[in-house]
Amino acid sequence: MKKTLLNFAVMLFVASICRPAVAQTPGAASDQSAASKTAAPFSPRDLDGLWMPAPGAASGPQLVDPNAHPPFTPWGQKRFDASFPSLGPRDVPGKENDPILRCDPDGVPKILGSPHPFEIFMLPDRMLQIFEKHHDWREIWTDGRELPKDPPQLTWNGYSAGKWKGDTFVVESTGFNDVPWLDYYGDPHSEDMHLTEEYKRVDHDTLTISVTIDDPKAYTALWVGKPHIYTLKPKWELQEYYCINEDMMKYDKDIRLRPDASGDKPAKSGATKNPQK
């Protein structure tokens, strides 16, 4: 019972600090009807706009389904076993170590499945993505360059290059560090991950993104995700949203490390340290 209450409290906390904090422009009380917007003319190669993950089962919880991942390699299994998510059946109160609890970036593709909006700008030589969450940003080069065989450095969002294949925008990325999880449930990836994303504008209001994870160090087969649905929000604006240490400290005090969280004493201050490092 105590753990059920804690999970409920965690969900409320996550909803409060990881909210889709978006506002419409002044005077924009309502959007046009769905029927009129989807009927509006659009170019399938125009991905510009502010996009929000669609609610409900159609959009799915993440870009990769945590219930459908391929079998782990021994390396992947070890990393997975060392993860303690704040959600799902593997949650152990007081031991949660999702890197975002240290205000680390979500990384890709995790941030694309986060319940927050992001904006796309198609520039002559790149796609620029601006995320409301943590005000993260990402460049996807479209000037014809190839991915580096040996990336100069490993980063949270990797090194990305994209090109059109018909009306589908295909992005290839490598050069990731191995700190972020792929989802909120502790599924890892290694520095060898090759990520493929496919962006497709279905109609005026709808964008889908699907991903494929190729990480032979962590998984024994490709991990292919289903299309994730996003809705255009032309009258929304990105708001300021940063991960603040004070918020994390309040979360620890009020929820994660409460004496009654698991019936035990609070975990020591080092409990948030990532055992994977």
Side-chain angles (χ1 to χ4, degrees):
M1 180 63 179
K2 290 181 178 178
K3 184 170 180 179
T4 300
L5 292 174
L6 177 65
N7 278 331
F8 180 70
V10 169
M11 293 177 65
L12 292 178
F13 177 81
V14 171
S16 67
I17 68 167
C18 298
R19 63 194 181 285
V22 202
Q24 294 182 340
T25 53
S30 61
D31 289 340
Q32 298 171 333
S33 68
S36 64
K37 288 194 295 180
T38 52
F42 74 99
S43 168
R45 290 197 172 196
D46 178 12
L47 305 182
D48 284 338
L50 192 152
W51 300 93
M52 178 69 188
S59 61
Q62 298 287 289
L63 272 79
V64 287
D65 183 353
N67 296 315
H69 66 71
F72 292 115
T73 63
W75 183 94
Q77 186 68 59
K78 182 178 180 180
R79 291 292 293 265
F80 180 74
D81 291 343
S83 67
F84 294 96
S86 301
L87 301 174
R90 298 177 59 245
D91 172 30
V92 179
K95 296 188 68 174
E96 298 93 337
N97 61 359
D98 189 324
I100 64 172
L101 297 179
R102 303 192 305 264
C103 288
D104 285 350
D106 270 323
V108 184
K110 187 178 179 183
I111 196 168
L112 290 168
S114 180
H116 303 84
F118 67 95
E119 194 159 5
I120 291 177
F121 299 89
M122 300 297 291
L123 306 177
D125 63 344
R126 75 197 78 178
M127 171 198 275
L128 186 63
Q129 295 178 335
I130 306 294
F131 299 92
E132 181 176 271
K133 186 177 184 183
H134 301 174
H135 272 225
D136 201 354
W137 63 280
R138 179 186 183 206
E139 287 179 316
I140 300 170
W141 296 98
T142 59
D143 56 3
R145 70 181 66 186
E146 299 293 332
L147 290 179
K149 294 182 180 180
D150 186 14
Q153 60 180 332
L154 301 177
T155 62
W156 300 95
N157 291 330
Y159 192 98
S160 303
K163 59 184 178 182
W164 288 99
K165 291 185 178 180
D167 289 333
T168 301
F169 185 64
V170 180
V171 180
E172 306 282 344
S173 302
T174 57
F176 298 96
N177 69 47
D178 65 357
V179 179
W181 298 346
L182 291 173
D183 51 35
Y184 289 96
Y185 300 94
D187 290 304
H189 70 79
S190 77
E191 295 175 350
D192 297 336
M193 179 176 71
H194 185 116
L195 175 68
T196 301
E197 303 156 69
E198 295 189 357
Y199 294 70
K200 188 172 183 62
R201 190 162 185 177
V202 179
D203 55 42
H204 182 274
D205 291 337
T206 309
L207 174 72
T208 65
I209 304 175
S210 58
V211 301
T212 298
I213 306 294
D214 183 5
D215 190 350
K217 185 175 180 178
Y219 301 93
T220 57
L222 293 179
W223 190 354
V224 181
K226 296 180 180 180
H228 201 73
I229 301 173
Y230 301 80
T231 303
L232 182 66
K233 299 295 183 180
K235 297 181 180 181
W236 284 16
E237 298 175 354
L238 298 183
Q239 292 190 343
E240 184 176 274
Y241 170 30
Y242 293 100
C243 186
I244 307 299
N245 285 331
E246 292 165 294
D247 289 340
M248 296 297 101
M249 292 169 63
K250 181 174 176 57
Y251 166 70
D252 279 354
K253 178 178 179 293
D254 295 345
I255 298 176
R256 201 176 70 82
L257 302 181
R258 278 174 44 200
D260 61 341
S262 61
D264 300 321
K265 294 180 180 180
K268 295 180 180 179
S269 58
T272 57
K273 187 175 182 181
N274 188 353
Q276 300 174 6
K277 284 191 171 181

